[in-house]
Amino acid sequence: MKDTLDILHRFSAHPDSRCWYVAWHPKGTLLASCGGDRTIRIWGKEGDNWECKCVLSDGHQRTVRKVAWSPCGNYLASASFDATTCIWKRKNDDFECLTVLEGHENEVKCVSWAPSGNLLATCSRDKSVWIWEVDEEDEYECVSVVNSHTQDVKHVVWHPNQELLASASYDNKVCIYKEEDDDWECRATLEGHTSTVWSLSFDLEGQRLASCGDDRTVKIWKECTSEEDSADGAWTCVCTLSGFHDRTVYDVAWCHLTGALATACGDDGVRVFKEDAAADPKHPVFYLSAHVPKAHSQDVNCVAWHPQESGLLATCSDNGEIAIWKYQSDI
């Protein structure tokens, strides 16, 4: 059997605007999307169709760039070009805006929850990364502002099981942060991309980090072990996927169920890569397993693997639509 990526559903999510991002609820029962129409939409499957359960339209004044579910699934955070981050609390099939996080000088480009649910990270065009602490009363306090990048920060993502944070920037770099003496600091700077780094994704164990960018490559970084005589917290590039994408790679997602790597590209392509099991783990090799060259009619902005169902992939595009795919592999 050949590896395949087959379309299951396709629907208009944000008519007449870009759909920037999609995020699965931790249980996989809902899908949140956001777009240029300033709204967040919550989708659920009814029978064979996807239906909009809720539209959150009163939180932001400009484009909503990213959404992120809390690990418990009861909260949704949204990052907007209006320089704010909204925290929404789920109440049955409805959501209320619990609080608005302010402080960034410009557009907030991304928001991400730590695995504990007690920390939240935001990043902005103002070149900063903010760490927020959440208490039991749902109060949010900024506990650290880190200025390790020299340009617009595009993306932040937490390590899957440690309080370690990674950020990607227009300055071509990836930064890794850790808390030291009650303050957050940059522990490692990953250099290798020759243009803007758009997105990041950790593997299941958090031992490797995938990055993608404007230079049309995907890079795989591995944390150095103490035996490798490297500085504490250092990361090294162990693999570069080049020659596969014709335009900017906007998003990368590592499937924690199968180990497959998906990418969203400005050439309208959705690609899935698999790791060669026969290769040396110190020098991993990834090959193109499946490719849909005309996934949408415009740029593909996001790829998101379902957290519970193996091989289920959601994508979204500049044309405002969401597509749901089924990836099947012969291995």
Side-chain angles (χ1 to χ4, degrees), residues 178 180 187-188 223-226 229-235:
K178 195 173 184 180
E180 291 288 337
R187 296 295 301 276
E223 188 172 17
C224 300
T225 63
S226 56
D229 194 31
S230 298
D232 181 40
W235 291 69

Side-chain angles (χ1 to χ4, degrees), residues 14-322:
H14 296 263
D16 304 316
S17 76
R18 291 174 176 173
C19 184
W20 277 115
Y21 204 72
V22 288
W24 292 101
H25 186 275
K27 292 183 179 178
T29 50
L30 298 171
L31 185 69
S33 68
C34 60
D37 58 4
R38 310 173 187 176
T39 71
I40 300 148
R41 296 172 189 259
I42 310 298
W43 304 88
K45 200 175 178 191
E46 294 290 335
D48 291 332
N49 298 313
W50 283 84
E51 294 185 1
C52 184
K53 301 286 189 179
C54 188
V55 180
L56 312 181
S57 58
D58 57 352
H60 294 291
Q61 306 304 311
R62 293 183 63 193
T63 290
V64 185
R65 186 63 178 86
K66 296 275 176 72
V67 284
W69 293 95
S70 63
C72 67
N74 294 329
Y75 302 89
L76 184 71
S78 55
S80 171
F81 283 5
D82 65 11
T84 71
T85 301
C86 285
I87 308 297
W88 307 83
K89 188 170 185 178
R90 184 184 178 191
K91 290 192 172 182
N92 298 318
D93 286 335
D94 205 2
F95 290 77
E96 67 168 346
C97 185
L98 200 64
T99 188
V100 178
L101 308 183
E102 299 178 313
H104 281 292
E105 296 175 12
N106 304 104
E107 295 103 314
V108 183
K109 294 297 181 72
C110 188
V111 58
S112 179
W113 298 86
S116 65
N118 297 326
L119 293 170
L120 193 74
T122 57
C123 65
S124 167
R125 195 179 125 189
D126 65 14
K127 309 173 188 177
S128 69
V129 173
W130 291 40
I131 314 291
W132 307 80
E133 203 167 63
V134 191
D135 65 18
E136 294 177 357
E137 279 75 45
D138 287 337
E139 295 289 332
Y140 290 74
E141 179 189 2
C142 178
V143 293
S144 189
V145 176
V146 194
N147 293 286
S148 297
H149 288 291
T150 58
Q151 298 288 339
D152 181 356
V153 189
K154 300 289 189 184
H155 195 84
V156 281
V157 63
W158 289 92
H159 189 284
N161 47 50
Q162 294 180 35
E163 289 191 345
L164 200 72
L165 180 70
S167 64
S169 171
Y170 192 77
D171 66 10
N172 310 352
K173 298 173 184 176
V174 176
C175 288
I176 308 287
Y177 310 88
K178 195 173 184 180
E179 188 178 20
E180 291 288 337
D181 300 323
D182 294 328
D183 200 11
W184 287 78
E185 62 180 40
C186 180
R187 296 295 301 276
T189 301
L190 284 48
E191 299 184 64
H193 283 284
T194 58
S195 193
T196 303
V197 187
W198 277 95
S199 187
L200 304 164
S201 181
F202 281 102
D203 69 1
L204 175 63
E205 303 297 332
Q207 295 176 350
R208 296 187 295 181
L209 178 70
S211 62
C212 64
D214 199 41
D215 60 7
R216 307 178 185 183
T217 72
V218 175
K219 290 185 179 290
I220 309 296
W221 308 84
K222 187 176 184 298
E223 188 172 17
C224 300
T225 63
S226 56
E227 296 84 42
E228 291 171 329
D229 194 31
S230 298
D232 181 40
W235 291 69
T236 185
C237 181
V238 293
C239 179
T240 299
L241 283 65
S242 61
F244 296 103
H245 302 88
D246 296 324
R247 292 184 65 187
T248 298
V249 188
Y250 287 117
D251 196 25
V252 61
W254 217 317
C255 182
H256 289 181
L257 300 176
T258 66
L261 204 63
T263 60
C265 187
D267 64 9
D268 194 19
V270 174
R271 296 166 176 83
V272 179
F273 298 87
K274 280 201 318 193
E275 188 171 358
D276 186 349
D280 181 355
K282 292 182 179 179
H283 304 283
V285 174
F286 288 79
Y287 62 92
L288 185 62
S289 168
H291 176 206
V292 179
K294 294 182 180 180
H296 297 272
S297 60
Q298 295 182 41
D299 293 8
V300 187
N301 293 320
C302 174
V303 279
W305 291 104
H306 193 284
Q308 306 286 341
E309 187 176 337
S310 180
L312 203 63
L313 182 72
T315 64
C316 66
S317 169
D318 273 5
N319 67 1
E321 72 177 12
I322 292 173

